[in-house]
Amino acid sequence: MNRNKLAESESDFMVETGKAYGADFNLKYDDQKVYIWFVYSHGYVRRFDGEQEYWTHFDRRHNLNLVAAYRFGKENSWEANIRWNYGSGFPFTPTSGNYELIDFSGGINSNYATENGSHQFILGDINSKRLPEYHRLDVNVKKTFNFESSDLAINLGVTNLYNRQNIFYIDRATNERINQLPVMPNLGINYNF
């Protein structure tokens, strides 16, 4: 066995190769009053572990961000921001089945007829399914007060304004869908001196 293969087989790490490719498109406009930023990414990310090729957990075909800000008022002390993000679904490994694993640690004295086993899962092909698409809208209004040697900014915003039910994960044991953040108002104060 050559030296590289020996090191690879005795390693605590999985050795993989992969390919990532895609394209990004970026458009930005900025002046004293208006700021607009548009970014679109289209990508593919695959890995090969020596036995199989699969989509990675962060492979996302489409990702779109649109950010807009408008400054207004005396000395542009007010600023309104809006951010919309869209992403196609990430890959995940589905559950193909489940079974009860009986623990025979008691040896010949184990009673498989009365013991409770542990719930185990049979997984499907790695990352062969995709989660639903993701999108959300965030808004924010900021007022800045300028003093001689300091300034104070007050931010009022709402995350996920239209309360989109974006999936975080599915609990394999209960089959319960767990979502990300619901509509969430926030208030912040920032003082610089």
Side-chain angles (χ1 to χ4, degrees):
M1 181 178 259
N2 74 31
R3 192 173 189 178
N4 287 340
K5 284 290 184 190
L6 179 63
E8 191 175 303
S9 66
E10 294 177 356
S11 173
D12 290 334
F13 302 99
M14 183 179 227
V15 177
E16 295 182 326
T17 60
K19 295 178 183 176
Y21 54 94
D24 292 327
F25 177 74
N26 187 344
L27 180 66
K28 186 172 25 172
Y29 174 80
D30 192 7
D31 70 17
Q32 293 292 326
K33 296 275 188 192
V34 177
Y35 174 82
I36 298 172
W37 183 60
F38 171 85
V39 177
Y40 171 75
S41 299
H42 184 79
Y44 298 85
V45 184
R46 290 184 66 79
R47 284 190 181 155
F48 180 68
D49 64 7
E51 295 180 19
Q52 62 182 330
E53 189 175 42
Y54 60 94
W55 300 111
T56 65
H57 67 279
F58 48 83
D59 174 75
R60 178 173 261 176
R61 289 294 158 273
H62 307 282
N63 191 28
L64 173 70
N65 278 289
L66 177 60
V67 177
Y70 179 66
R71 298 171 201 94
F72 59 98
K74 187 178 179 182
E75 298 177 356
N76 286 337
S77 63
W78 286 88
E79 183 176 308
N81 297 289
I82 189 168
R83 176 184 181 258
W84 186 72
N85 175 238
Y86 168 85
S88 54
F90 286 115
F92 75 97
T93 302
T95 301
S96 291
N98 57 63
Y99 63 95
E100 184 178 17
L101 178 65
I102 304 295
D103 179 16
F104 288 99
S105 60
I108 198 164
N109 296 321
S110 297
N111 186 345
Y112 65 87
T114 60
E115 285 186 27
N116 289 326
S118 61
H119 194 182
Q120 302 293 313
F121 298 99
I122 302 169
L123 300 180
D125 293 335
I126 187 168
N127 292 346
S128 60
K129 300 288 184 185
R130 293 227 173 227
L131 293 172
E133 64 187 5
Y134 167 96
H135 55 88
R136 86 173 202 221
L137 178 68
D138 302 337
V139 295
N140 186 63
V141 176
K142 178 172 76 171
K143 169 66 175 164
T144 303
F145 301 92
N146 294 311
F147 306 109
E148 284 185 27
S149 60
S150 62
D151 60 71
L152 173 73
I154 300 173
N155 291 288
L156 177 63
V158 180
T159 300
N160 195 11
L161 182 67
Y162 52 83
N163 200 24
R164 165 75 178 176
Q165 301 295 302
N166 288 305
I167 190 168
F168 187 44
Y169 67 94
I170 302 248
D171 186 315
R172 288 190 196 274
T174 63
N175 206 31
E176 178 185 4
R177 177 181 167 144
I178 309 299
N179 289 323
Q180 297 182 25
L181 295 174
V183 61
M184 192 165 70
N186 55 75
L187 174 66
I189 299 174
N190 190 14
Y191 181 64
N192 294 313
F193 56 93

